[in-house]
Amino acid sequence: MAKTIKFTLDGRPLEAREGETVLEAAERAGARIPHYCWHRVLGNPGNCRMCIVEVEGTPKPQVACRLPAREGLVARSASAAARRAQASALELHLVDHPLDCPVCDQSGECGLQDYYMDIGRYPSAMREDKAHAAKRVPIGPHIMLDQERCILCTRCTRFVSQVSKSHELGIFGRGHSEAVGLVPGRSLDNPYSGNLADVCPVGALTDRDFRFQVRVWYLDETASICPGCSRGCAIFAHTSTQRPWHNQGRRLARLKPRYNPEVNGAWICDEGRYGFAEFDSDRLGRVMRLQGTAAERRWDSVSDEIAVAWHQVVRNKRPDGLAVVASGSLSNEDWKAFKSLFVDALKLKRFLFTPEPDQVGTEDELLRRRDKVPNLAGGMALGFGAQIESMTWDALAGEIEAGKVWGLYVVDRDPLKVWGEKGRELLERLDFLVYQGPRKGLTGDLAHFRLPATAWLEEDGHFTDFQGRIQGYRRALAPLGAAKPDWAIFAGLEAAWQGGGGL
Ligand code: SF4
Ligand code: SF4
Ligand code: FES
């Protein structure tokens, strides 16, 4: 068993693990010591001097990020002497800082601003003009650099050397003219570049997609799981509904990594971070019957109509001619209700779970996985893609063409996109086509019934990642219109099929 070290910080008893520093143990316990350069993954160069603490029995103050915790150590971060030392370090950081907080996008989540309000609040002693440097420099597709605001903590250069290993950034010059910048000829375009806006403790590196869309104090934060691939990175969803006219009316403002050492550490990839900007576009909110004259339906009547149609076609045709296309974006709850309806109640045999061609992408050693859907593993745990085999897209097209498949139930997939123009002809041959999903896509217009489902941020649920780990995500936004979680739609249809009530 690992040895536990007991020490006190500002009179509070704390426990450290062997080898931990005072700052690390304090952070883990939620005790606050000011810091900039230390980062729980990127290490502790000890250059910002903000984490100074007084240590009993030691004549000089120490930096907590390099001070190993030892049994009986008594440290003070909030004493008058420690505060004086921290305030002096802060004053040095502010010598050339432009103090443009009102127009800085980091405002509200800036370490410099927070510590100034906590331990600074002194008038500037500077008589000379501040040194000026480059502002608003787009250094890559996602990151904007403001050199004047940089406090040279080196977190960003450590990230590109230790984590992305892409080495685009460096600290150049000496003394007063030292500045962070791009290595000549490079652009900050690695697949994890968005993390730099997170690691920078001030407004020197900001997110080009997010900046000036909405002030951070108008955002709500919900713990979630990224649905961008089967890694299942822990994230926070930041949503903007308090001021609906901000963020160009979009409810999802940004996704941020949520620290999980077992899955994604402190990072997420750019595909996941920026892949959901159009969360609210092309959304479905109305239950529709589109056969003949298009008409809106209530959930209870549409499920009865679908159940009646199933009974009719099953009576008149071979029941195994009904195929289902399902999405690896379904939650575990959805998969369970899906199985209950299509396998146990309807006893269907033809399923397709194979990802669409554009749902198979690049993978790397850090986080990104090849399959760009979050929960094929949740379906596999129930036998889908294993005992219950998956057809290929070509095989399904062939069977529709041959008249073996006469009905299709599509869940959050877009066969028309996969099959191209030939797909329209195939789908128009079908006697029965239901489309269910959060977005209309191309197939939604051809369906006989179109059922609006919630997207992942509008429901509680669980995904199983590629390693078999089950993780929960929470509802962050209200469903749009009449949309329901997929599991509720399947359950309502099953009840209607069994002769029970509607949805
Ligand atoms: S740009 Fe930000 S992260 Fe990089 S050295 Fe400057 S303050 Fe630190
Ligand atoms: S690695 Fe996958 S799960 Fe993680 S952020 Fe990227 S897309 Fe999302
Ligand atoms: S956090 Fe300790 S010196 Fe920077």
Side-chain angles (χ1 to χ4, degrees):
M1 211 173 104
K3 197 174 149 206
T4 303
I5 297 156
K6 293 188 177 10
F7 70 102
T8 59
L9 175 69
D10 296 318
R12 177 176 165 186
L14 293 179
E15 289 188 351
R17 298 176 187 142
E18 208 167 358
E20 259 184 343
T21 63
V22 167
L23 180 52
E24 283 164 342
E27 278 287 310
R28 209 167 33 75
R32 181 191 147 283
I33 299 177
H35 61 270
Y36 294 130
C37 68
W38 175 83
H39 183 281
R40 63 170 129 203
V41 180
L42 300 173
N44 53 344
N47 65 20
C48 76
R49 317 313 281 178
M50 277 304 293
C51 62
I52 283 179
V53 291
E54 252 194 304
V55 180
E56 223 171 74
T58 312
K60 284 190 174 173
Q62 313 272 313
V63 282
C65 67
R66 310 206 99 186
L67 175 65
R70 58 174 192 272
E71 195 65 35
L73 178 135
V74 177
R76 289 186 204 93
S77 149
S79 67
R83 288 261 164 162
R84 256 197 320 277
Q86 292 157 9
S88 303
L90 185 63
E91 193 169 8
L92 280 174
H93 287 301
L94 289 171
V95 164
D96 281 327
H97 191 87
L99 285 173
D100 51 356
C101 306
V103 294
C104 175
D105 203 52
Q106 190 83 1
S107 193
E109 53 183 2
C110 173
L112 208 50
Q113 192 181 40
D114 291 348
Y115 296 147
Y116 178 76
M117 297 311 286
D118 260 15
I119 52 182
R121 290 182 184 251
Y122 37 71
S124 171
M126 290 292 294
R127 288 188 176 65
E128 299 76 15
D129 198 10
K130 296 192 179 213
H132 294 291
K135 293 185 84 68
R136 293 179 302 280
V137 187
I139 55 171
H142 301 299
I143 298 294
M144 189 73 84
L145 167 66
D146 185 314
Q147 276 181 333
E148 280 187 354
R149 295 183 188 146
C150 173
I151 56 164
L152 297 169
C153 70
T154 72
R155 282 184 177 195
C156 56
T157 55
R158 281 177 278 150
F159 179 86
V160 295
S161 66
Q162 295 170 27
V163 182
S164 67
K165 299 188 170 58
S166 46
H167 308 281
E168 303 99 328
L169 291 171
I171 308 262
F172 301 93
R174 302 189 70 176
H176 198 55
S177 57
E178 208 176 1
V180 70
L182 279 175
V183 168
R186 300 291 304 275
S187 161
L188 187 68
D189 52 6
N190 71 70
Y192 293 88
S193 66
N195 292 292
L196 287 156
D198 303 333
V199 299
C200 180
V202 298
L205 299 175
T206 50
D207 190 319
R208 291 178 69 185
D209 283 35
F210 176 74
R211 65 202 301 267
F212 306 126
Q213 296 297 320
V214 51
R215 280 302 199 183
V216 294
W217 49 87
Y218 293 132
L219 294 175
D220 296 308
E221 179 174 275
T222 310
S224 191
I225 302 295
C226 174
C229 78
S230 59
R231 172 72 61 182
C233 292
I235 55 169
F236 285 117
H238 287 175
T239 50
S240 166
T241 54
Q242 299 176 35
R243 296 283 191 285
W245 55 93
H246 288 174
N247 199 38
Q248 299 174 47
R250 295 171 305 186
R251 296 183 301 163
L252 177 58
R254 64 180 179 181
L255 301 179
K256 287 268 188 186
R258 181 162 56 88
Y259 183 63
N260 184 339
E262 286 172 13
V263 178
N264 53 304
W267 323 120
I268 54 174
C269 75
D270 288 356
E271 282 168 21
R273 184 187 297 263
Y274 301 113
F276 303 95
E278 301 311 319
F279 180 80
D280 276 340
S281 69
D282 193 34
R283 292 295 303 277
L284 296 176
R286 295 197 300 162
V287 184
M288 298 295 293
R289 181 185 174 120
L290 300 168
Q291 231 172 358
T293 313
E296 191 165 354
R297 288 285 193 268
R298 291 200 334 256
W299 277 112
D300 53 0
S301 60
V302 83
S303 54
D304 284 342
E305 283 178 58
I306 292 173
V308 167
W310 274 339
H311 279 295
Q312 279 171 354
V313 287
V314 166
R315 235 192 337 267
N316 298 335
K317 305 199 176 207
R318 283 182 300 131
D320 64 359
L322 187 54
V324 188
V325 175
S327 161
S329 301
L330 292 177
S331 68
N332 289 348
E333 292 76 1
D334 298 332
W335 277 121
K336 205 166 157 228
F338 177 94
K339 184 171 188 226
S340 176
L341 171 65
F342 292 113
V343 179
D344 303 336
L346 287 166
K347 305 202 183 311
L348 302 186
K349 300 274 186 299
R350 286 186 158 86
F351 292 95
L352 189 155
F353 318 108
T354 317
E356 291 172 18
D358 65 2
Q359 290 173 325
V360 180
T362 314
E363 109 171 2
D364 59 36
E365 287 176 359
L366 186 53
L367 296 176
R368 295 184 302 163
R369 301 283 309 164
R370 198 162 167 269
D371 41 340
K372 302 299 176 191
V373 282
N375 200 25
L376 280 172
M380 283 185 80
L382 293 176
F384 293 108
Q387 298 93 320
I388 305 165
E389 278 179 29
S390 176
M391 305 172 80
T392 63
W393 287 97
D394 283 348
L396 178 60
E399 297 211 336
I400 296 175
E401 211 156 16
K404 289 186 189 160
V405 167
W406 46 260
L408 199 58
Y409 195 110
V410 178
V411 184
D412 194 18
R413 281 290 161 88
D414 208 344
L416 192 48
K417 198 171 92 192
V418 178
W419 290 328
E421 258 323 288
K422 160 186 145 197
R424 178 173 299 277
E425 196 247 314
L426 288 173
L427 295 177
E428 282 173 352
R429 282 176 179 222
L430 295 168
D431 295 339
F432 176 81
L433 175 59
V434 177
Y435 176 79
Q436 168 179 328
R439 285 180 186 76
K440 181 155 68 75
L442 298 175
T443 304
D445 277 332
L446 296 180
H448 303 151
F449 295 95
R450 197 167 65 203
L451 312 180
T454 47
W456 108 104
L457 284 179
E458 296 163 346
E459 62 194 30
D460 292 334
H462 293 82
F463 290 143
T464 303
D465 72 12
F466 78 105
Q467 292 166 309
R469 183 184 291 105
I470 297 173
Q471 302 187 92
Y473 57 89
R474 305 306 307 252
R475 173 171 146 157
L477 290 166
L480 287 180
K484 284 186 174 216
D486 292 283
W487 62 262
I489 300 173
F490 297 140
L493 283 168
E494 186 175 341
W497 168 258
Q498 307 285 17
L503 289 171

